Amino acid sequence: MRTGRVCELLGTEYPLLQGAMAWVANAALAGAVSNGGGLGIIAAGNMPPDILEQEILKARELTDCPFGLNIMLLSPTAPDALELAAKHRVPVVTTGAGSPGTVLKRLKPLGTIVIPVVASVAQAKRVEKQGADAVIAEGMEAGGHIGELTTMVLVPQIAAALRIPVIAAGGIAEGRGVLAAFALGAEGVQLGTRFICCEECTVHANFKQAVIDARDRSTAVTGMSTGHPVRCLRNRLTGEFEKLEERHASNEEIERLGTGKLRSGVVDGDTEWGSLMAGQSAAMVNDILPAAQIIKNLFAEADEVLNRISGSGR
Ligand code: TUI
């Protein structure tokens, strides 16, 4: 059993959250991570409300431990996800890709723990003032929709500016990264990509294999020109995005190319033309293990590394 503000806040054994990944982070994944001592999170993404409600109920069946729901604020279904979080008293809600003011106003009076993902110091300060319980500082090494700053520079600046706990995300897939996050001032970690390759994750086997095959330069960021930069594994789809952006195609044309591609990558396993959102840490993911084993290994490795370096006088 670990101690500290993040475990206390979440009611978990480890100060670890599983990142919310649209089409990936369902009740099966969230339940497995929560049963393994972390905080599993269901990604509402663009899920229709009736499906999301079923996932919340499924997670309750799969685990007696706390779990979370992520509301993606760019989604047109975000208000429905918010009402479901309130209705089912989901213990922890994280938010992404926008300003969480309405979420905090609606859920804080109910006692929900609300943890926004932020990508800058200004956003972090604003959400602390609005009553957030903690923040997830997400560096641009992360997969999916990202900000501009790396985890290495974002986490220490946010930790210095805030009183509430900071959870580091982006680029973490091993015990070394967990320890580094704590060295930077974080009190918890969030990992997404690592959990794509856990046994309980229900994505297509081709997607898991693509993560395992990834090397240091295997991800690309597309959508810079539309203002929605997204990091994915490089494939024919990201190549096509790059071509469109090079010839300054309209936002509509660029966004049209992306329509339905996340589902075809994650569910159908189309690794050529599907969108395979993953972080740079994909290069460090080399096996498929049970979620509980991944979590245990991460913290055991972090402890080993700490012992090694503290004994060396460095
Ligand atoms: O949200 C994410 N990652 C995501 S969302 C997603 S679904 C999607 N699909 C296609 C296009 C766009 C999204 C895939 N991956 N991460 C958390 C995150 N939040 N990263 C950056 C931010 C963020 C950005 C702006 C948080 C707040 C913000 O502005 C807040 C404000 O103050 O206005």
Side-chain angles (χ1 to χ4, degrees):
M1 179 79 190
R2 310 258 154 180
T3 53
R5 290 200 292 175
V6 171
C7 287
E8 279 162 28
L9 196 59
L10 305 176
T12 55
E13 191 181 341
Y14 294 95
L16 173 142
L17 296 81
Q18 160 248 312
M21 299 168 281
W23 285 100
V24 176
N26 55 15
L29 179 58
V33 171
S34 288
N35 283 332
L39 188 85
I41 294 182
I42 298 169
N46 284 322
M47 250 188 236
D50 53 329
I51 308 280
L52 178 57
E53 188 159 37
Q54 285 171 26
E55 291 298 310
I56 293 170
L57 297 173
K58 249 191 254 173
R60 280 249 151 79
E61 273 175 31
L62 289 171
T63 186
D64 294 326
C65 302
F67 64 93
L69 174 70
N70 173 267
I71 303 177
M72 209 277 274
L73 294 163
L74 278 177
S75 170
T77 61
D80 302 308
L82 176 56
E83 280 319 303
L84 286 170
K87 177 180 170 189
H88 291 283
R89 294 291 196 270
V90 176
V92 181
V93 167
T94 64
T95 66
S99 181
T102 24
V103 175
L104 285 159
K105 274 205 193 98
R106 177 77 178 93
L107 296 180
K108 280 318 298 167
L110 305 179
T112 310
I113 302 297
V114 180
I115 310 181
V117 176
V118 294
S120 72
V121 175
Q123 287 166 6
K125 283 185 175 170
R126 194 177 327 134
V127 302
E128 181 179 60
K129 248 194 213 148
Q130 289 172 330
D133 295 282
V135 295
I136 299 165
E138 188 185 85
M140 54 85 82
E141 298 94 323
H145 177 59
I146 51 170
E148 283 175 31
L149 301 173
T150 62
T151 303
M152 189 82 158
V153 298
L154 185 65
V155 171
Q157 293 184 72
I158 292 183
L162 268 54
R163 289 171 200 274
I164 56 176
V166 177
I167 295 155
I172 307 171
E174 306 174 322
R176 292 181 289 188
V178 172
L179 186 64
F182 279 79
L184 295 174
E187 294 176 57
V189 289
Q190 175 172 282
L191 287 74
T193 303
R194 173 63 267 205
F195 287 108
I196 295 171
C197 290
C198 77
E199 282 178 6
E200 299 88 346
C201 179
T202 57
V203 303
H204 196 286
N206 293 353
F207 184 20
K208 292 188 184 186
Q209 193 57 47
V211 171
I212 287 175
D213 292 342
R215 299 160 60 140
D216 55 350
R217 300 183 60 248
S218 295
T219 69
V221 179
T222 60
M224 289 282 204
S225 63
T226 64
H228 290 143
V230 172
R231 183 182 300 284
C232 295
L233 295 179
R234 278 184 211 276
N235 59 7
R236 294 183 77 177
L237 177 69
T238 61
E240 205 60 31
F241 269 120
E242 277 160 6
K243 275 188 213 155
L244 285 182
E245 292 193 64
E246 263 166 37
R247 68 168 169 82
H248 304 290
S250 66
N251 282 7
E252 291 74 41
E253 201 179 342
I254 294 171
E255 274 160 21
R256 204 174 326 122
L257 176 64
T259 307
K261 297 299 197 299
L262 193 52
R263 187 203 154 97
S264 59
V266 172
V267 182
D268 306 332
D270 182 353
T271 51
E272 280 194 6
W273 287 105
S275 170
L276 306 175
M277 291 186 188
Q280 291 182 330
S281 72
M284 299 182 289
V285 176
N286 303 309
D287 50 16
I288 298 171
L289 295 171
Q293 193 65 50
I294 291 174
I295 297 169
K296 241 175 127 185
N297 292 353
L298 281 170
F299 285 87
E301 195 196 336
D303 288 344
E304 271 170 37
V305 176
L306 179 59
N307 286 336
R308 177 164 56 77
I309 62 179
S310 60
S312 74
R314 266 186 289 274

